[in-house]
PDB file of all heavy atoms in Angstrom:
ATOM      1  N   ASP A 131      24.946 -18.509 -39.936  1.00 98.00           N
ATOM      2  CA  ASP A 131      26.271 -18.933 -40.404  1.00 98.00           C
ATOM      3  C   ASP A 131      26.825 -17.939 -41.423  1.00 98.00           C
ATOM      4  O   ASP A 131      27.979 -17.523 -41.352  1.00 98.00           O
ATOM      5  CB  ASP A 131      26.182 -20.323 -41.067  1.00 98.00           C
ATOM      6  CG  ASP A 131      25.978 -21.432 -40.032  1.00 98.00           C
ATOM      7  OD1 ASP A 131      26.353 -21.224 -38.862  1.00 98.00           O
ATOM      8  OD2 ASP A 131      25.416 -22.488 -40.399  1.00 98.00           O
ATOM      9  N   THR A 132      25.999 -17.546 -42.381  1.00 98.00           N
ATOM     10  CA  THR A 132      26.475 -16.645 -43.443  1.00 98.00           C
ATOM     11  C   THR A 132      26.922 -15.309 -42.850  1.00 98.00           C
ATOM     12  O   THR A 132      27.970 -14.768 -43.221  1.00 98.00           O
ATOM     13  CB  THR A 132      25.339 -16.395 -44.469  1.00 98.00           C
ATOM     14  OG1 THR A 132      24.806 -17.649 -44.844  1.00 98.00           O
ATOM     15  CG2 THR A 132      25.810 -15.640 -45.685  1.00 98.00           C
ATOM     16  N   LEU A 133      26.128 -14.766 -41.919  1.00 98.00           N
ATOM     17  CA  LEU A 133      26.476 -13.460 -41.352  1.00 98.00           C
ATOM     18  C   LEU A 133      27.797 -13.535 -40.585  1.00 98.00           C
ATOM     19  O   LEU A 133      28.649 -12.649 -40.705  1.00 98.00           O
ATOM     20  CB  LEU A 133      25.361 -12.967 -40.419  1.00 98.00           C
ATOM     21  CG  LEU A 133      24.055 -12.563 -41.100  1.00 98.00           C
ATOM     22  CD1 LEU A 133      22.945 -12.371 -40.065  1.00 98.00           C
ATOM     23  CD2 LEU A 133      24.251 -11.271 -41.904  1.00 98.00           C
ATOM     24  N   LEU A 134      27.991 -14.610 -39.831  1.00 98.00           N
ATOM     25  CA  LEU A 134      29.219 -14.705 -39.034  1.00 98.00           C
ATOM     26  C   LEU A 134      30.419 -15.054 -39.913  1.00 98.00           C
ATOM     27  O   LEU A 134      31.518 -14.524 -39.700  1.00 98.00           O
ATOM     28  CB  LEU A 134      29.046 -15.709 -37.894  1.00 98.00           C
ATOM     29  CG  LEU A 134      28.031 -15.255 -36.828  1.00 98.00           C
ATOM     30  CD1 LEU A 134      27.883 -16.302 -35.742  1.00 98.00           C
ATOM     31  CD2 LEU A 134      28.430 -13.911 -36.203  1.00 98.00           C
ATOM     32  N   ASP A 135      30.215 -15.882 -40.933  1.00 98.00           N
ATOM     33  CA  ASP A 135      31.328 -16.198 -41.841  1.00 98.00           C
ATOM     34  C   ASP A 135      31.833 -14.926 -42.527  1.00 98.00           C
ATOM     35  O   ASP A 135      33.019 -14.773 -42.776  1.00 98.00           O
ATOM     36  CB  ASP A 135      30.896 -17.232 -42.900  1.00 98.00           C
ATOM     37  CG  ASP A 135      30.677 -18.609 -42.267  1.00 98.00           C
ATOM     38  OD1 ASP A 135      31.078 -18.786 -41.100  1.00 98.00           O
ATOM     39  OD2 ASP A 135      30.078 -19.489 -42.934  1.00 98.00           O
ATOM     40  N   ALA A 136      30.909 -14.004 -42.801  1.00 98.00           N
ATOM     41  CA  ALA A 136      31.299 -12.778 -43.516  1.00 98.00           C
ATOM     42  C   ALA A 136      32.233 -11.896 -42.684  1.00 98.00           C
ATOM     43  O   ALA A 136      32.988 -11.107 -43.237  1.00 98.00           O
ATOM     44  CB  ALA A 136      30.045 -11.990 -43.904  1.00 98.00           C
ATOM     45  N   VAL A 137      32.169 -12.018 -41.339  1.00 98.00           N
ATOM     46  CA  VAL A 137      33.023 -11.137 -40.520  1.00 98.00           C
ATOM     47  C   VAL A 137      34.171 -11.894 -39.846  1.00 98.00           C
ATOM     48  O   VAL A 137      35.062 -11.279 -39.259  1.00 98.00           O
ATOM     49  CB  VAL A 137      32.202 -10.407 -39.420  1.00 98.00           C
ATOM     50  CG1 VAL A 137      31.283  -9.377 -40.023  1.00 98.00           C
ATOM     51  CG2 VAL A 137      31.427 -11.391 -38.551  1.00 98.00           C
ATOM     52  N   GLN A 138      34.132 -13.221 -39.922  1.00 97.00           N
ATOM     53  CA  GLN A 138      35.092 -14.050 -39.173  1.00 97.00           C
ATOM     54  C   GLN A 138      36.547 -13.573 -39.335  1.00 97.00           C
ATOM     55  O   GLN A 138      37.268 -13.433 -38.350  1.00 97.00           O
ATOM     56  CB  GLN A 138      34.962 -15.510 -39.630  1.00 97.00           C
ATOM     57  CG  GLN A 138      35.795 -16.495 -38.809  1.00 97.00           C
ATOM     58  CD  GLN A 138      35.006 -17.083 -37.631  1.00 97.00           C
ATOM     59  OE1 GLN A 138      33.916 -17.597 -37.810  1.00 97.00           O
ATOM     60  NE2 GLN A 138      35.559 -16.974 -36.436  1.00 97.00           N
ATOM     61  N   ASN A 139      36.963 -13.273 -40.566  1.00 96.00           N
ATOM     62  CA  ASN A 139      38.372 -12.927 -40.784  1.00 96.00           C
ATOM     63  C   ASN A 139      38.731 -11.531 -40.297  1.00 96.00           C
ATOM     64  O   ASN A 139      39.904 -11.213 -40.136  1.00 96.00           O
ATOM     65  CB  ASN A 139      38.716 -13.048 -42.274  1.00 96.00           C
ATOM     66  CG  ASN A 139      38.760 -14.501 -42.672  1.00 96.00           C
ATOM     67  OD1 ASN A 139      38.954 -15.372 -41.809  1.00 96.00           O
ATOM     68  ND2 ASN A 139      38.523 -14.780 -43.955  1.00 96.00           N
ATOM     69  N   LYS A 140      37.736 -10.701 -40.075  1.00 97.00           N
ATOM     70  CA  LYS A 140      38.038  -9.336 -39.608  1.00 97.00           C
ATOM     71  C   LYS A 140      38.490  -9.329 -38.148  1.00 97.00           C
ATOM     72  O   LYS A 140      39.144  -8.410 -37.699  1.00 97.00           O
ATOM     73  CB  LYS A 140      36.774  -8.461 -39.696  1.00 97.00           C
ATOM     74  CG  LYS A 140      36.431  -7.981 -41.093  1.00 97.00           C
ATOM     75  CD  LYS A 140      35.556  -6.713 -41.085  1.00 97.00           C
ATOM     76  CE  LYS A 140      34.276  -6.861 -40.291  1.00 97.00           C
ATOM     77  NZ  LYS A 140      33.424  -5.667 -40.292  1.00 97.00           N
ATOM     78  N   GLY A 141      38.051 -10.336 -37.402  1.00 97.00           N
ATOM     79  CA  GLY A 141      38.439 -10.430 -35.983  1.00 97.00           C
ATOM     80  C   GLY A 141      37.678  -9.483 -35.073  1.00 97.00           C
ATOM     81  O   GLY A 141      37.863  -9.486 -33.857  1.00 97.00           O
ATOM     82  N   LYS A 142      36.832  -8.636 -35.643  1.00 98.00           N
ATOM     83  CA  LYS A 142      36.028  -7.737 -34.801  1.00 98.00           C
ATOM     84  C   LYS A 142      34.770  -7.324 -35.558  1.00 98.00           C
ATOM     85  O   LYS A 142      34.728  -7.431 -36.798  1.00 98.00           O
ATOM     86  CB  LYS A 142      36.827  -6.499 -34.404  1.00 98.00           C
ATOM     87  CG  LYS A 142      37.269  -5.664 -35.565  1.00 98.00           C
ATOM     88  CD  LYS A 142      37.982  -4.417 -35.070  1.00 98.00           C
ATOM     89  CE  LYS A 142      38.284  -3.515 -36.249  1.00 98.00           C
ATOM     90  NZ  LYS A 142      38.827  -2.231 -35.901  1.00 98.00           N
ATOM     91  N   MET A 143      33.769  -6.886 -34.827  1.00 98.00           N
ATOM     92  CA  MET A 143      32.564  -6.355 -35.487  1.00 98.00           C
ATOM     93  C   MET A 143      31.773  -5.521 -34.494  1.00 98.00           C
ATOM     94  O   MET A 143      32.008  -5.576 -33.283  1.00 98.00           O
ATOM     95  CB  MET A 143      31.670  -7.499 -36.013  1.00 98.00           C
ATOM     96  CG  MET A 143      31.049  -8.363 -34.936  1.00 98.00           C
ATOM     97  SD  MET A 143      29.819  -9.519 -35.622  1.00 98.00           S
ATOM     98  CE  MET A 143      29.902 -10.862 -34.436  1.00 98.00           C
ATOM     99  N   ASN A 144      30.850  -4.742 -35.040  1.00 98.00           N
ATOM    100  CA  ASN A 144      29.819  -4.138 -34.206  1.00 98.00           C
ATOM    101  C   ASN A 144      28.668  -5.137 -34.247  1.00 98.00           C
ATOM    102  O   ASN A 144      27.956  -5.236 -35.248  1.00 98.00           O
ATOM    103  CB  ASN A 144      29.401  -2.779 -34.765  1.00 98.00           C
ATOM    104  CG  ASN A 144      28.154  -2.254 -34.063  1.00 98.00           C
ATOM    105  OD1 ASN A 144      27.657  -2.851 -33.108  1.00 98.00           O
ATOM    106  ND2 ASN A 144      27.646  -1.136 -34.547  1.00 98.00           N
ATOM    107  N   LEU A 145      28.517  -5.888 -33.149  1.00 98.00           N
ATOM    108  CA  LEU A 145      27.586  -7.022 -33.170  1.00 98.00           C
ATOM    109  C   LEU A 145      26.142  -6.612 -33.454  1.00 98.00           C
ATOM    110  O   LEU A 145      25.388  -7.352 -34.074  1.00 98.00           O
ATOM    111  CB  LEU A 145      27.690  -7.770 -31.833  1.00 98.00           C
ATOM    112  CG  LEU A 145      26.876  -9.046 -31.775  1.00 98.00           C
ATOM    113  CD1 LEU A 145      27.736 -10.225 -31.362  1.00 98.00           C
ATOM    114  CD2 LEU A 145      25.684  -8.914 -30.853  1.00 98.00           C
ATOM    115  N   VAL A 146      25.752  -5.402 -33.032  1.00 97.00           N
ATOM    116  CA  VAL A 146      24.369  -4.973 -33.285  1.00 97.00           C
ATOM    117  C   VAL A 146      24.134  -4.859 -34.796  1.00 97.00           C
ATOM    118  O   VAL A 146      23.202  -5.450 -35.341  1.00 97.00           O
ATOM    119  CB  VAL A 146      24.046  -3.643 -32.566  1.00 97.00           C
ATOM    120  CG1 VAL A 146      22.691  -3.099 -33.010  1.00 97.00           C
ATOM    121  CG2 VAL A 146      24.061  -3.839 -31.062  1.00 97.00           C
ATOM    122  N   ASP A 147      25.019  -4.117 -35.480  1.00 95.00           N
ATOM    123  CA  ASP A 147      24.791  -3.853 -36.912  1.00 95.00           C
ATOM    124  C   ASP A 147      25.069  -5.052 -37.794  1.00 95.00           C
ATOM    125  O   ASP A 147      24.425  -5.236 -38.821  1.00 95.00           O
ATOM    126  CB  ASP A 147      25.711  -2.722 -37.396  1.00 95.00           C
ATOM    127  CG  ASP A 147      25.151  -1.370 -37.008  1.00 95.00           C
ATOM    128  OD1 ASP A 147      24.073  -1.333 -36.395  1.00 95.00           O
ATOM    129  OD2 ASP A 147      25.816  -0.359 -37.309  1.00 95.00           O
ATOM    130  N   GLU A 148      26.084  -5.840 -37.407  1.00 97.00           N
ATOM    131  CA  GLU A 148      26.552  -6.856 -38.349  1.00 97.00           C
ATOM    132  C   GLU A 148      25.956  -8.242 -38.099  1.00 97.00           C
ATOM    133  O   GLU A 148      26.073  -9.120 -38.936  1.00 97.00           O
ATOM    134  CB  GLU A 148      28.088  -6.904 -38.355  1.00 97.00           C
ATOM    135  CG  GLU A 148      28.643  -5.601 -38.923  1.00 97.00           C
ATOM    136  CD  GLU A 148      30.155  -5.501 -38.845  1.00 97.00           C
ATOM    137  OE1 GLU A 148      30.820  -6.136 -39.672  1.00 97.00           O
ATOM    138  OE2 GLU A 148      30.660  -4.775 -37.959  1.00 97.00           O
ATOM    139  N   PHE A 149      25.300  -8.423 -36.939  1.00 98.00           N
ATOM    140  CA  PHE A 149      24.732  -9.750 -36.665  1.00 98.00           C
ATOM    141  C   PHE A 149      23.319  -9.669 -36.076  1.00 98.00           C
ATOM    142  O   PHE A 149      22.363 -10.177 -36.660  1.00 98.00           O
ATOM    143  CB  PHE A 149      25.675 -10.520 -35.722  1.00 98.00           C
ATOM    144  CG  PHE A 149      25.254 -11.930 -35.468  1.00 98.00           C
ATOM    145  CD1 PHE A 149      25.016 -12.813 -36.514  1.00 98.00           C
ATOM    146  CD2 PHE A 149      25.101 -12.402 -34.162  1.00 98.00           C
ATOM    147  CE1 PHE A 149      24.626 -14.129 -36.276  1.00 98.00           C
ATOM    148  CE2 PHE A 149      24.702 -13.713 -33.919  1.00 98.00           C
ATOM    149  CZ  PHE A 149      24.474 -14.578 -34.977  1.00 98.00           C
ATOM    150  N   ALA A 150      23.201  -8.978 -34.914  1.00 97.00           N
ATOM    151  CA  ALA A 150      21.901  -8.972 -34.207  1.00 97.00           C
ATOM    152  C   ALA A 150      20.808  -8.341 -35.057  1.00 97.00           C
ATOM    153  O   ALA A 150      19.665  -8.781 -35.050  1.00 97.00           O
ATOM    154  CB  ALA A 150      22.032  -8.215 -32.892  1.00 97.00           C
ATOM    155  N   PHE A 151      21.143  -7.296 -35.801  1.00 94.00           N
ATOM    156  CA  PHE A 151      20.127  -6.617 -36.603  1.00 94.00           C
ATOM    157  C   PHE A 151      19.753  -7.400 -37.873  1.00 94.00           C
ATOM    158  O   PHE A 151      18.575  -7.708 -38.079  1.00 94.00           O
ATOM    159  CB  PHE A 151      20.572  -5.185 -36.918  1.00 94.00           C
ATOM    160  CG  PHE A 151      19.635  -4.477 -37.829  1.00 94.00           C
ATOM    161  CD1 PHE A 151      18.392  -4.068 -37.378  1.00 94.00           C
ATOM    162  CD2 PHE A 151      19.959  -4.255 -39.158  1.00 94.00           C
ATOM    163  CE1 PHE A 151      17.492  -3.455 -38.234  1.00 94.00           C
ATOM    164  CE2 PHE A 151      19.075  -3.640 -40.013  1.00 94.00           C
ATOM    165  CZ  PHE A 151      17.836  -3.236 -39.544  1.00 94.00           C
ATOM    166  N   PRO A 152      20.729  -7.752 -38.735  1.00 94.00           N
ATOM    167  CA  PRO A 152      20.296  -8.391 -39.990  1.00 94.00           C
ATOM    168  C   PRO A 152      19.587  -9.725 -39.813  1.00 94.00           C
ATOM    169  O   PRO A 152      18.673 -10.035 -40.577  1.00 94.00           O
ATOM    170  CB  PRO A 152      21.602  -8.576 -40.784  1.00 94.00           C
ATOM    171  CG  PRO A 152      22.720  -8.195 -39.898  1.00 94.00           C
ATOM    172  CD  PRO A 152      22.178  -7.463 -38.724  1.00 94.00           C
ATOM    173  N   LEU A 153      19.962 -10.518 -38.799  1.00 96.00           N
ATOM    174  CA  LEU A 153      19.388 -11.871 -38.720  1.00 96.00           C
ATOM    175  C   LEU A 153      17.851 -11.866 -38.646  1.00 96.00           C
ATOM    176  O   LEU A 153      17.186 -12.400 -39.542  1.00 96.00           O
ATOM    177  CB  LEU A 153      20.028 -12.640 -37.558  1.00 96.00           C
ATOM    178  CG  LEU A 153      19.584 -14.095 -37.464  1.00 96.00           C
ATOM    179  CD1 LEU A 153      20.767 -15.004 -37.163  1.00 96.00           C
ATOM    180  CD2 LEU A 153      18.534 -14.318 -36.419  1.00 96.00           C
ATOM    181  N   PRO A 154      17.248 -11.231 -37.614  1.00 95.00           N
ATOM    182  CA  PRO A 154      15.769 -11.277 -37.568  1.00 95.00           C
ATOM    183  C   PRO A 154      15.099 -10.537 -38.716  1.00 95.00           C
ATOM    184  O   PRO A 154      13.994 -10.890 -39.133  1.00 95.00           O
ATOM    185  CB  PRO A 154      15.423 -10.601 -36.233  1.00 95.00           C
ATOM    186  CG  PRO A 154      16.659  -9.953 -35.758  1.00 95.00           C
ATOM    187  CD  PRO A 154      17.824 -10.559 -36.451  1.00 95.00           C
ATOM    188  N   ILE A 155      15.803  -9.531 -39.259  1.00 92.00           N
ATOM    189  CA  ILE A 155      15.193  -8.766 -40.358  1.00 92.00           C
ATOM    190  C   ILE A 155      15.095  -9.617 -41.607  1.00 92.00           C
ATOM    191  O   ILE A 155      14.083  -9.611 -42.304  1.00 92.00           O
ATOM    192  CB  ILE A 155      16.061  -7.512 -40.695  1.00 92.00           C
ATOM    193  CG1 ILE A 155      16.184  -6.620 -39.499  1.00 92.00           C
ATOM    194  CG2 ILE A 155      15.527  -6.759 -41.904  1.00 92.00           C
ATOM    195  CD1 ILE A 155      14.959  -6.480 -38.713  1.00 92.00           C
ATOM    196  N   ILE A 156      16.174 -10.356 -41.896  1.00 93.00           N
ATOM    197  CA  ILE A 156      16.131 -11.213 -43.081  1.00 93.00           C
ATOM    198  C   ILE A 156      14.991 -12.223 -42.915  1.00 93.00           C
ATOM    199  O   ILE A 156      14.213 -12.463 -43.838  1.00 93.00           O
ATOM    200  CB  ILE A 156      17.499 -11.923 -43.301  1.00 93.00           C
ATOM    201  CG1 ILE A 156      18.584 -10.880 -43.591  1.00 93.00           C
ATOM    202  CG2 ILE A 156      17.414 -12.948 -44.428  1.00 93.00           C
ATOM    203  CD1 ILE A 156      20.005 -11.418 -43.662  1.00 93.00           C
ATOM    204  N   VAL A 157      14.861 -12.785 -41.699  1.00 95.00           N
ATOM    205  CA  VAL A 157      13.825 -13.801 -41.476  1.00 95.00           C
ATOM    206  C   VAL A 157      12.424 -13.210 -41.680  1.00 95.00           C
ATOM    207  O   VAL A 157      11.614 -13.765 -42.431  1.00 95.00           O
ATOM    208  CB  VAL A 157      13.949 -14.418 -40.057  1.00 95.00           C
ATOM    209  CG1 VAL A 157      12.804 -15.387 -39.798  1.00 95.00           C
ATOM    210  CG2 VAL A 157      15.296 -15.113 -39.893  1.00 95.00           C
ATOM    211  N   ILE A 158      12.133 -12.069 -41.055  1.00 93.00           N
ATOM    212  CA  ILE A 158      10.762 -11.536 -41.168  1.00 93.00           C
ATOM    213  C   ILE A 158      10.494 -11.074 -42.606  1.00 93.00           C
ATOM    214  O   ILE A 158       9.391 -11.241 -43.124  1.00 93.00           O
ATOM    215  CB  ILE A 158      10.444 -10.440 -40.106  1.00 93.00           C
ATOM    216  CG1 ILE A 158       8.939 -10.125 -40.047  1.00 93.00           C
ATOM    217  CG2 ILE A 158      11.210  -9.158 -40.339  1.00 93.00           C
ATOM    218  CD1 ILE A 158       8.070 -11.183 -39.490  1.00 93.00           C
ATOM    219  N   CYS A 159      11.521 -10.530 -43.267  1.00 92.00           N
ATOM    220  CA  CYS A 159      11.323 -10.119 -44.667  1.00 92.00           C
ATOM    221  C   CYS A 159      11.002 -11.340 -45.522  1.00 92.00           C
ATOM    222  O   CYS A 159      10.112 -11.283 -46.377  1.00 92.00           O
ATOM    223  CB  CYS A 159      12.563  -9.417 -45.215  1.00 92.00           C
ATOM    224  SG  CYS A 159      12.749  -7.743 -44.585  1.00 92.00           S
ATOM    225  N   GLU A 160      11.700 -12.440 -45.301  1.00 93.00           N
ATOM    226  CA  GLU A 160      11.417 -13.643 -46.101  1.00 93.00           C
ATOM    227  C   GLU A 160      10.015 -14.167 -45.812  1.00 93.00           C
ATOM    228  O   GLU A 160       9.305 -14.605 -46.708  1.00 93.00           O
ATOM    229  CB  GLU A 160      12.475 -14.721 -45.845  1.00 93.00           C
ATOM    230  CG  GLU A 160      13.815 -14.327 -46.461  1.00 93.00           C
ATOM    231  CD  GLU A 160      14.896 -15.409 -46.360  1.00 93.00           C
ATOM    232  OE1 GLU A 160      14.622 -16.490 -45.786  1.00 93.00           O
ATOM    233  OE2 GLU A 160      16.016 -15.169 -46.860  1.00 93.00           O
ATOM    234  N   MET A 161       9.593 -14.114 -44.543  1.00 94.00           N
ATOM    235  CA  MET A 161       8.234 -14.594 -44.222  1.00 94.00           C
ATOM    236  C   MET A 161       7.175 -13.736 -44.905  1.00 94.00           C
ATOM    237  O   MET A 161       6.182 -14.223 -45.422  1.00 94.00           O
ATOM    238  CB  MET A 161       7.983 -14.550 -42.709  1.00 94.00           C
ATOM    239  CG  MET A 161       8.743 -15.599 -41.939  1.00 94.00           C
ATOM    240  SD  MET A 161       8.435 -15.443 -40.175  1.00 94.00           S
ATOM    241  CE  MET A 161       6.840 -16.270 -40.034  1.00 94.00           C
ATOM    242  N   LEU A 162       7.413 -12.418 -44.873  1.00 92.00           N
ATOM    243  CA  LEU A 162       6.428 -11.511 -45.478  1.00 92.00           C
ATOM    244  C   LEU A 162       6.529 -11.525 -46.996  1.00 92.00           C
ATOM    245  O   LEU A 162       5.561 -11.212 -47.695  1.00 92.00           O
ATOM    246  CB  LEU A 162       6.646 -10.083 -44.969  1.00 92.00           C
ATOM    247  CG  LEU A 162       6.190  -9.827 -43.528  1.00 92.00           C
ATOM    248  CD1 LEU A 162       6.799  -8.531 -43.003  1.00 92.00           C
ATOM    249  CD2 LEU A 162       4.675  -9.752 -43.428  1.00 92.00           C
ATOM    250  N   GLY A 163       7.733 -11.841 -47.497  1.00 91.00           N
ATOM    251  CA  GLY A 163       7.943 -11.820 -48.949  1.00 91.00           C
ATOM    252  C   GLY A 163       8.346 -10.442 -49.428  1.00 91.00           C
ATOM    253  O   GLY A 163       7.900  -9.986 -50.481  1.00 91.00           O
ATOM    254  N   ILE A 164       9.201  -9.752 -48.618  1.00 89.00           N
ATOM    255  CA  ILE A 164       9.661  -8.436 -49.065  1.00 89.00           C
ATOM    256  C   ILE A 164      11.189  -8.422 -49.172  1.00 89.00           C
ATOM    257  O   ILE A 164      11.851  -9.181 -48.467  1.00 89.00           O
ATOM    258  CB  ILE A 164       9.155  -7.278 -48.164  1.00 89.00           C
ATOM    259  CG1 ILE A 164       9.547  -7.479 -46.706  1.00 89.00           C
ATOM    260  CG2 ILE A 164       7.661  -7.148 -48.260  1.00 89.00           C
ATOM    261  CD1 ILE A 164       8.952  -6.441 -45.779  1.00 89.00           C
ATOM    262  N   PRO A 165      11.729  -7.595 -50.082  1.00 86.00           N
ATOM    263  CA  PRO A 165      13.171  -7.654 -50.321  1.00 86.00           C
ATOM    264  C   PRO A 165      13.985  -7.214 -49.093  1.00 86.00           C
ATOM    265  O   PRO A 165      13.804  -6.102 -48.589  1.00 86.00           O
ATOM    266  CB  PRO A 165      13.394  -6.644 -51.461  1.00 86.00           C
ATOM    267  CG  PRO A 165      12.037  -6.274 -51.960  1.00 86.00           C
ATOM    268  CD  PRO A 165      11.047  -6.593 -50.907  1.00 86.00           C
ATOM    269  N   ALA A 166      14.856  -8.110 -48.624  1.00 79.00           N
ATOM    270  CA  ALA A 166      15.658  -7.797 -47.434  1.00 79.00           C
ATOM    271  C   ALA A 166      16.623  -6.630 -47.720  1.00 79.00           C
ATOM    272  O   ALA A 166      17.088  -5.968 -46.796  1.00 79.00           O
ATOM    273  CB  ALA A 166      16.419  -9.028 -46.974  1.00 79.00           C
ATOM    274  N   GLU A 167      16.877  -6.365 -49.020  1.00 83.00           N
ATOM    275  CA  GLU A 167      17.802  -5.255 -49.363  1.00 83.00           C
ATOM    276  C   GLU A 167      17.244  -3.911 -48.875  1.00 83.00           C
ATOM    277  O   GLU A 167      17.984  -2.952 -48.709  1.00 83.00           O
ATOM    278  CB  GLU A 167      18.019  -5.097 -50.867  1.00 83.00           C
ATOM    279  CG  GLU A 167      18.534  -6.304 -51.614  1.00 83.00           C
ATOM    280  CD  GLU A 167      17.401  -7.236 -52.004  1.00 83.00           C
ATOM    281  OE1 GLU A 167      16.748  -7.025 -53.036  1.00 83.00           O
ATOM    282  OE2 GLU A 167      17.176  -8.191 -51.224  1.00 83.00           O
ATOM    283  N   ASP A 168      15.931  -3.840 -48.687  1.00 86.00           N
ATOM    284  CA  ASP A 168      15.344  -2.562 -48.278  1.00 86.00           C
ATOM    285  C   ASP A 168      15.475  -2.336 -46.775  1.00 86.00           C
ATOM    286  O   ASP A 168      14.961  -1.371 -46.231  1.00 86.00           O
ATOM    287  CB  ASP A 168      13.841  -2.528 -48.636  1.00 86.00           C
ATOM    288  CG  ASP A 168      13.627  -2.603 -50.136  1.00 86.00           C
ATOM    289  OD1 ASP A 168      14.617  -2.385 -50.875  1.00 86.00           O
ATOM    290  OD2 ASP A 168      12.498  -2.880 -50.575  1.00 86.00           O
TER     291      ASP A 168
END
Side-chain angles (χ1 to χ4, degrees):
D131 287 336
T132 310
L133 290 168
L134 293 179
D135 290 348
V137 290
Q138 187 92 52
N139 288 337
K140 283 203 304 181
K142 61 177 186 173
M143 66 171 152
N144 169 5
L145 186 127
V146 171
D147 280 359
E148 294 174 77
F149 185 54
F151 175 72
L153 185 137
I155 300 320
I156 296 173
V157 175
I158 192 70
C159 285
E160 289 185 359
M161 288 178 80
L162 286 164
I164 56 186
E167 303 84 84
D168 296 345

